Amino acid sequence: MKHNVARYLLLSTALVGSLSLYALTNESKVVPDADNAGLKLPAGFGALKVAETGARPRHLTVTPQGNIYVKLNRPNKEGKGILVLRTNSTGKADVVGGFGNYGGTGMYSKDGYLYASSDEEVYRYKLNEKGEVANPNQPEKIITGLINRKQHESKSVVLDNDGNVYVNIGAYSNSCQQQDRQKGSLGIANCPILDSAGGIWQFKANKLNQTYKDGVRYTTGLRNVVGLDWNQQDNQLFVMQHGRDQLHDIFPNLYDAKQSAQLPAECMYALKKGDNAGWPYMYYDQVQHKKIMAPEYGGDGKKEADSKFIDPAAAYPGHMAPNGLLFYTGTMFPEKYRNGAFIAFHGSWNRAPEPQAGYFVVFQPFKDGKPSGNWEVFADNFAGSPEKLASGRADHRPCGLAQGPDGSLYVTDDAKGTIYRIVYAKK
């Protein structure tokens, strides 16, 4: 008996030692690509192309066990709308499966569940102890019947710490005009779009088949939000709004082409229940640092908006399309990044005659749960060259962000389907 116990202890020690050695070896092989995957990064950082999906990945999530789930804008040729990737010993990842026959944007994991959205519905899947979806063909439909008018239709999702899920329902309009995007057309009084879109709705994360009547319009006056995240420092929802377009095209007597290229700001908002961010009645002018009344509703580029509308937490140049927001809570990156926000700017299409802009991931420092200090470009050159960036013909366009269990940062590209991983080489 003593011999057997001693032999068991010896084998157990050897097994633990070999697993630890494997983990160390595995970690040591996570090395950047020779060219940092084509990205420009701050000193000490490196990047690798984790996978080429051949599809259009939107948001993604990484479980504590390291499983990567990627939501596709539309199902791939195999008919799967969610890809399952597993990292290998090189730090890259292999596509090991897929499920879900619907396209969409939202992808989030929390408390043993994976949440995914189509453009009308939100589903959840139970995860087992290995972080794997137990029944991929039997999701629970928790929200259904959300409006989809084929404009700003994506439904991004995030969860708080109290069992609630938050869903963006984008406005199917540029500025709630009587004739959408038409020159000189004025805004509709008491914009009717806001009854079912143009805001963030709150639902229960564990209740099936909820519709609008079961949810709460948590905040209104947000034209379209694709990037959103829950700030754990102050237990609050933060979102990135896509600002309105075409000030010069619609009101050429009030705005010149350069103003239209720069305005309005893409805004970060810190939200509380009942907040109104002001769309379509106002926009935020990052040059004047003021809330300005929209021209559709009597504005002239100078009149200030009603003070009842909330101020943004931070503002960024116009038309860069913030599609991903992530609060960094890992320990791999230097201390300055802890609890700050990464933002994936998808890139502009309507800044002519100015050069197009965006196509990068920026870092916004935070202090005590609030933006503090100037934002900075963190990961650049997704476009491929300055010429491609200026023309808007980018090779890659960052969209979704996720944090790996080791603290590395994952970024999706929904132009060519690349998934990137950014790491920091500790000195």
Side-chain angles (χ1 to χ4, degrees):
M1 179 65 73
K2 288 181 180 179
H3 175 74
N4 287 340
V5 170
R7 184 169 179 271
Y8 172 78
L9 290 173
L10 183 63
L11 286 171
S12 298
T13 302
L15 178 59
V16 170
S18 66
L19 286 173
S20 300
L21 180 62
Y22 175 75
L24 289 170
T25 304
N26 216 21
E27 183 70 20
S28 68
K29 288 184 179 179
V30 182
V31 294
D33 293 342
D35 64 346
N36 279 337
L39 302 183
K40 294 179 181 177
L41 301 162
F45 287 89
L48 53 154
K49 291 183 177 179
V50 168
E52 299 286 7
T53 65
R56 293 187 59 193
R58 297 285 281 174
H59 288 177
L60 80 166
T61 189
V62 187
T63 70
Q65 299 85 355
N67 296 312
I68 305 168
Y69 294 94
V70 181
K71 191 75 199 71
L72 300 183
N73 185 55
R74 59 179 66 95
N76 61 13
K77 60 184 179 182
E78 287 79 29
K80 308 302 181 185
I82 300 172
L83 296 183
V84 186
L85 286 77
R86 192 164 295 136
T87 51
N88 56 40
S89 60
T90 68
K92 295 181 182 290
D94 303 305
V95 178
V96 296
F99 56 94
N101 60 358
Y102 53 94
T105 290
M107 188 100 277
Y108 196 77
S109 57
K110 188 176 177 70
D111 297 336
Y113 282 92
L114 178 73
Y115 297 82
S117 71
S118 70
D119 292 337
E120 298 92 22
E121 296 169 321
V122 180
Y123 303 85
R124 74 172 188 172
Y125 300 80
K126 181 66 178 162
L127 297 169
N128 63 22
E129 68 280 357
K130 297 179 181 179
E132 301 166 339
V133 171
N135 295 297
N137 297 320
Q138 295 180 313
E140 295 180 317
K141 185 186 294 183
I142 59 172
I143 307 166
T144 188
L146 302 179
I147 200 163
N148 174 10
R149 296 284 180 83
K150 307 300 181 183
Q151 183 178 177
H152 304 149
E153 67 271 19
S154 66
K155 305 296 186 288
S156 303
V157 299
V158 73
L159 277 78
D160 63 15
N161 301 313
D162 297 310
N164 299 304
V165 57
Y166 299 82
V167 186
N168 165 66
I169 306 177
Y172 45 94
S173 171
N174 178 39
S175 53
C176 205
Q177 291 173 276
Q178 295 169 15
Q179 295 176 295
D180 193 31
R181 298 180 185 264
Q182 296 304 304
K183 183 177 177 180
S185 180
L186 297 181
I188 304 171
N190 299 313
C191 180
I193 290 171
L194 294 171
D195 68 346
S196 56
I200 304 293
W201 267 253
Q202 179 194 64
F203 298 89
K204 295 297 182 185
N206 61 356
K207 183 179 179 182
L208 302 185
N209 297 309
Q210 297 168 91
T211 62
Y212 277 105
K213 64 180 176 60
D214 303 298
V216 173
R217 187 173 63 174
Y218 191 74
T219 52
T220 191
L222 290 161
R223 177 175 176 266
N224 188 36
V225 167
V226 184
L228 75 177
D229 199 12
W230 194 261
N231 186 330
Q232 298 296 337
Q233 267 199 311
D234 57 7
N235 200 34
Q236 189 172 7
L237 176 65
F238 277 71
V239 305
M240 296 296 306
Q241 176 181 231
H242 285 218
R244 55 88 44 83
D245 301 322
Q246 298 175 295
L247 286 168
H248 171 67
D249 292 346
I250 300 171
F251 295 96
N253 58 319
L254 298 176
Y255 302 89
D256 62 32
K258 184 170 183 178
Q259 287 175 308
S260 193
Q262 295 174 336
L263 300 173
E266 307 284 46
C267 291
M268 172 188 285
Y269 285 101
L271 300 179
K272 301 185 298 295
K273 185 177 179 181
D275 280 345
N276 187 337
W279 181 91
Y281 310 113
M282 57 143 279
Y283 62 85
Y284 189 77
D285 183 323
Q286 75 276 21
V287 179
Q288 299 184 68
H289 304 288
K290 293 178 179 178
K291 293 175 289 190
I292 300 297
M293 186 183 296
E296 289 84 354
Y297 292 89
D300 59 2
K302 298 175 184 176
K303 291 180 185 176
E304 292 192 44
D306 194 318
S307 60
K308 72 179 180 181
F309 302 126
I310 63 172
D311 292 316
Y316 307 87
H319 311 299
M320 296 199 306
N323 275 9
L325 175 65
L326 175 78
F327 286 101
Y328 185 78
T329 59
T331 57
M332 175 189 280
F333 292 4
E335 179 66 27
K336 67 170 275 189
Y337 295 98
R338 193 80 45 81
N339 297 312
F342 287 105
I343 306 165
F345 283 100
H346 195 239
S348 66
W349 60 269
N350 57 347
R351 285 174 57 92
E354 300 296 302
Q356 300 304 323
Y359 313 99
F360 49 35
V361 175
V362 311
F363 175 70
Q364 172 65 64
F366 266 63
K367 183 178 181 181
D368 301 325
K370 296 179 175 60
S372 176
N374 295 329
W375 60 276
E376 59 194 58
V377 176
F378 176 75
D380 204 355
N381 201 43
F382 288 91
S385 71
E387 294 75 22
K388 289 179 179 179
L389 187 155
S391 67
R393 295 180 292 104
D395 288 342
H396 304 277
R397 303 184 69 163
C399 183
L401 300 170
Q403 181 180 304
D406 65 346
S408 56
L409 178 67
Y410 289 82
V411 186
T412 64
D413 146 48
D414 71 354
K416 290 192 175 177
T418 305
I419 298 176
Y420 298 86
R421 182 180 182 181
I422 300 173
V423 297
Y424 183 74
K426 295 181 178 69
K427 301 297 182 185

